[in-house]
Amino acid sequence: NAGVTQTPKFQVLKTGQSMTLQCAQDMNHEYMSWYRQDPGMGLRLIHYSVGAGITDQGEVPNGYNVSRSTTEDFPLRLLSAAPSQTSVYFCASSYSRIAGGHYGYTFGSGTRLTVV
Amino acid sequence: DQQVKQNSPSLSVQEGRISILNCDYTNSMFDYFLWYKKYPAEGPTFLISISSIKDKNEDGRFTVFLNKSAKHLSLHIVPSQPGDSAVYFCAAGYGNKLVFGAGTILRVKS
């Protein structure tokens, strides 16, 4: 019963480098999303997907790309890393966006990213 | 523009006493509200939710109260236990929009 698995747990990037944060869930959830957590800011939505092949922007999408080729996987790509993207990133999933709002999302354990 | 505010960054409570965590929101469109708990190095875990048609929801030691006229949400934990020490996030949403507060650190002293 893995739930939501995020890799890597820690990453240090140099400014301008690109990388992909991986997220996989084994609960057959249709809805998946990426959040970033910054001190004093709470969790802010970056991108979300309501099913395979369907993605949309959240509150802070700039500098990030996503795709959803399968129900299980929802990778987050940083195109050209900037120090402002230093944060803790969480992937979350739910049966649906509305269900997640009422019954809660399942979150991964996070990826701590530092951009120097 | 912070639509969901948790004005207390931290709260310290004695074991066995009540913990009260507060949350204020500004958007009248929000129609469901949730509380999440987060331990260090882990993702947030869902705790309890309430829809705008109710003013109270209870689950064991956890009770959420909603005051729509004041746009205020609170989480009561009774009795508080040392294992409750964590960061608590409130969240509010409507439709496809869900907004989180900045979190309150709860410390329960034994």
Side-chain angles (χ1 to χ4, degrees):
Chain A
N1 186 17
V4 177
T5 302
Q6 288 184 239
T7 55
K9 291 192 181 303
F10 302 95
Q11 183 71 49
V12 178
L13 286 179
K14 293 182 178 179
T15 298
Q17 285 184 317
S18 63
M19 80 158 294
T20 299
L21 308 186
Q22 301 292 343
C23 176
Q25 52 91 8
D26 61 358
M27 298 171 285
N28 203 30
H29 284 171
E30 290 296 324
Y31 177 81
M32 296 184 74
S33 57
W34 278 100
Y35 287 86
R36 58 178 289 173
Q37 183 195 1
D38 302 294
M41 302 289 287
L43 293 155
R44 293 182 292 168
L45 181 64
I46 304 171
H47 285 285
Y48 67 95
S49 168
V50 297
I54 307 169
T55 64
D56 205 347
Q57 297 180 351
E59 186 183 355
V60 288
N62 292 339
Y64 308 95
N65 269 359
V66 292
S67 60
R68 183 98 179 268
S69 56
T70 66
T71 300
E72 294 77 21
D73 299 298
F74 191 45
L76 178 72
R77 279 182 287 277
L78 281 71
L79 308 172
S80 177
S84 61
Q85 293 178 304
T86 293
S87 187
V88 181
Y89 291 85
F90 291 101
C91 179
S93 74
S94 175
Y95 285 110
S96 70
R97 179 74 184 256
I98 301 298
H102 288 277
Y103 306 112
Y105 301 120
T106 300
F107 281 86
S109 58
T111 295
R112 184 174 294 273
L113 176 69
T114 302
V115 182
V116 298
Chain B
D1 176 29
Q2 280 190 297
Q3 297 186 57
V4 178
K5 293 183 182 179
Q6 295 177 255
N7 291 319
S8 298
S10 64
L11 174 68
S12 187
V13 170
Q14 197 67 34
E15 180 180 8
R17 306 294 292 269
I18 184 171
S19 295
I20 300 176
L21 296 103
N22 294 303
C23 181
D24 295 299
Y25 62 95
T26 58
N27 192 335
S28 300
M29 297 288 290
F30 290 138
D31 61 4
Y32 56 88
F33 306 87
L34 307 94
W35 284 94
Y36 282 83
K37 179 169 71 174
K38 184 184 178 304
Y39 293 118
E42 294 183 12
T45 55
F46 170 69
L47 203 52
I48 192 168
S49 67
I50 187 169
S51 75
S52 60
I53 63 172
K54 301 177 77 173
D55 55 19
K56 176 182 174 182
N57 189 25
E58 201 169 349
D59 184 2
R61 297 186 297 113
F62 302 91
T63 302
V64 57
F65 294 92
L66 176 63
N67 183 333
K68 289 187 291 293
S69 61
K71 294 189 177 67
H72 181 79
L73 185 71
S74 64
L75 175 69
H76 293 208
I77 306 173
V78 184
S80 301
Q81 299 173 354
D84 295 330
S85 297
V87 179
Y88 289 79
F89 292 98
C90 70
Y94 67 93
N96 284 329
K97 187 178 180 67
L98 184 66
V99 181
F100 284 82
T104 295
I105 301 169
L106 173 65
R107 296 186 184 90
V108 180
K109 298 175 289 186
S110 56

